[in-house]
Amino acid sequence: MSEYTHHIAILGAGTIGLSMVALHLRRPDTRVTIYDPREDFTTQVHNQLPSYLETTQETQEKDPITHLLSTSRLKIATSLREAVEKATIIQEQSPERTDSKQELWNQVSKYADPTAHLWSSSSGIPVSAQSEKSPSDIAQRLVVAHPFNPPHIMPLVEIVPGPHTKAERVEFVKTYFENVPGPKTKNSSQNLDQTRSESVQHCRPIILRKEIPGFVGNRLAFALLREASYLVGEGVVSAQDLDSIVTASLGPRWAGSGVFESYHAGGGEGGIGAFLQKLAPTVQDVWGQLGQIDILTDAQRDAEGENVGQREKWRDEVVRQTEEAYGPTVTANTRAKKERMLRDVLELQKQS
């Protein structure tokens, strides 16, 4: 009998997949098998996974991947069958295309244990679409467990069942993520070389009551992205100044209160009801003028020909200004600084 309760198969070794590996390994009762069809994925695991393991118990190892492999907590599979046939939990991070996910679940159904839990990290494709061409038991076991990037740092997991997902499957995934511990962090009251494990949970799983494309987190984020792109494209504000507006107002406030709680406080004695009543003319005026812009796929851009510039005039301007402000790519140093800031913000949330 295995010493590990959960045998997890991670399908897809990209950014989300490797971050999820680090997240799962925080639980002492898990072993993880990784599989990716790309030929270079083993090299990617060795090169990139250690950076995600900064906050796990493997930190002290000089070669954490070799240590994980030697202790059987981590396994690198050479085929889909090898990855899933003994797994109790199968979590996919395949390309964000409906046909790709449908084909993957069909393949998984051939080799996986019929009792295994099936999770998708999709950022917007619901269970009903993913399982449409699969055996009926796939739809009953499949749950979207959408993490925010990077999940080993960001606590949100959107749990989105399909219309045929069994209730016990939904409860299982929620309970599982509720029991993922927080990372080892520096204790300011002790020597800086010492670390402690957070007693509070890391993940904040939220169950959505119904399916909707994009779920909730991304719908909110994309709504802000749309209006931000419109404002920059129309020349109202620069890309860099718009970012400053967010980080100097909405960002800090929402990190502590969220949307509805913030406006509830802003309404004074009457709460959000008074806020909506007092600002109704202004709110409606803004809502009526929110930007209407299109973002086209490559195929649509080819079909549009010369009309692309008119339909997507905002796109080139947003890309140009953003690259001028922050460079063509985000450097590793900048990424590390931003991750440290995220951890600090999340630590403040725990304290309050």
Side-chain angles (χ1 to χ4, degrees):
M1 185 174 180
S2 173
E3 62 180 300
Y4 301 110
T5 304
H6 306 292
H7 294 241
I8 302 169
I10 293 292
L11 307 181
T15 301
I16 297 295
L18 294 180
S19 184
M20 286 304 307
V21 170
L23 183 71
H24 288 305
L25 288 174
R26 288 213 194 117
R27 289 184 54 138
D29 58 352
T30 60
R31 63 181 299 183
V32 180
T33 299
I34 313 175
Y35 172 70
D36 193 297
R38 292 174 296 179
E39 293 183 359
D40 65 339
F41 102 91
T42 299
T43 301
Q44 186 171 356
V45 170
H46 281 272
N47 290 343
Q48 296 186 18
L49 182 56
S51 65
Y52 297 119
L53 296 171
E54 299 176 323
T55 53
T56 74
Q57 66 271 30
E58 312 300 336
T59 306
Q60 304 304 318
E61 298 296 330
K62 293 181 179 179
D63 186 353
I65 305 305
T66 298
H67 174 75
L68 287 166
L69 293 171
S70 67
T71 57
S72 298
R73 288 217 67 203
L74 181 67
K75 179 179 179 181
I76 297 176
T78 58
S79 68
L80 178 67
R81 180 173 185 169
E82 181 186 1
V84 306
E85 60 184 357
K86 295 181 180 180
T88 60
I89 297 171
I90 301 168
Q91 185 170 18
E92 69 82 26
Q93 285 80 208
S94 64
E96 194 68 0
R97 301 196 314 269
T98 302
D99 59 344
S100 175
K101 295 187 185 297
Q102 289 174 343
E103 175 60 24
L104 179 61
W105 290 124
N106 279 331
Q107 292 298 314
V108 167
S109 68
K110 296 177 182 179
Y111 309 121
D113 188 297
T115 65
H117 295 271
L118 309 179
W119 300 349
S120 170
S121 295
S122 173
S123 59
I125 303 174
V127 166
S128 56
Q130 293 191 42
S131 62
E132 185 177 0
K133 298 180 180 180
S134 300
S136 60
D137 72 302
I138 297 294
Q140 295 170 6
R141 292 187 284 153
L142 183 57
V143 183
V144 166
H146 171 228
F148 257 54
N149 188 23
H152 71 289
I153 295 177
M154 301 294 279
L156 177 65
V157 180
E158 289 181 302
I159 301 173
V160 194
H164 303 294
T165 306
K166 291 186 175 181
E168 59 265 30
R169 299 285 176 167
V170 180
E171 187 58 33
F172 177 87
V173 65
K174 181 174 184 290
T175 300
Y176 177 91
F177 281 109
E178 283 176 339
N179 286 282
V180 174
K184 287 180 179 291
T185 59
K186 300 293 183 183
N187 189 338
S188 57
S189 63
Q190 299 177 359
N191 186 290
L192 290 179
D193 291 333
Q194 294 179 307
T195 59
R196 61 183 172 88
S197 295
E198 293 298 330
S199 59
V200 295
Q201 68 189 54
H202 169 72
C203 296
R204 301 179 205 170
I206 304 293
I207 299 175
L208 303 194
R209 299 178 181 180
K210 60 190 298 185
E211 289 189 327
I212 187 168
F215 314 132
V216 174
N218 276 338
R219 290 181 73 93
L220 294 173
F222 293 165
L224 181 57
L225 174 62
R226 176 172 165 171
E227 182 62 16
S229 297
Y230 171 80
L231 292 170
V232 172
E234 291 295 307
V236 176
V237 65
S238 72
Q240 191 168 27
D241 283 347
L242 187 138
D243 282 351
S244 294
I245 289 171
V246 172
T247 58
S249 60
L250 304 178
R253 176 169 290 169
W254 287 348
S257 299
V259 178
F260 292 121
E261 186 181 1
S262 293
Y263 286 119
H264 192 50
E269 186 175 342
I272 192 170
F275 175 87
L276 293 173
Q277 181 179 5
K278 289 184 290 187
L279 272 76
T282 300
V283 171
Q284 183 55 48
D285 186 44
V286 172
W287 279 357
Q289 296 182 41
L290 289 176
Q292 301 292 316
I293 58 176
D294 296 319
I295 183 168
L296 307 178
T297 64
D298 288 341
Q300 289 172 324
R301 289 172 65 84
D302 290 340
E304 285 290 325
E306 295 180 357
N307 294 328
V308 168
Q310 182 62 30
R311 289 192 62 184
E312 282 196 320
K313 63 180 182 179
W314 61 270
R315 185 169 180 163
D316 289 342
E317 194 64 19
V318 165
V319 170
R320 181 185 67 79
Q321 290 193 30
T322 302
E323 290 184 347
E324 284 182 357
Y326 307 111
T329 59
V330 178
T331 66
N333 185 50
T334 297
R335 194 180 303 277
K337 288 181 179 179
K338 296 297 183 181
E339 288 186 357
R340 286 196 296 271
M341 183 184 68
L342 280 175
R343 290 192 183 98
D344 289 343
V345 170
L346 293 170
E347 185 63 26
L348 286 173
Q349 287 183 333
K350 293 175 186 177
Q351 294 174 10
S352 61

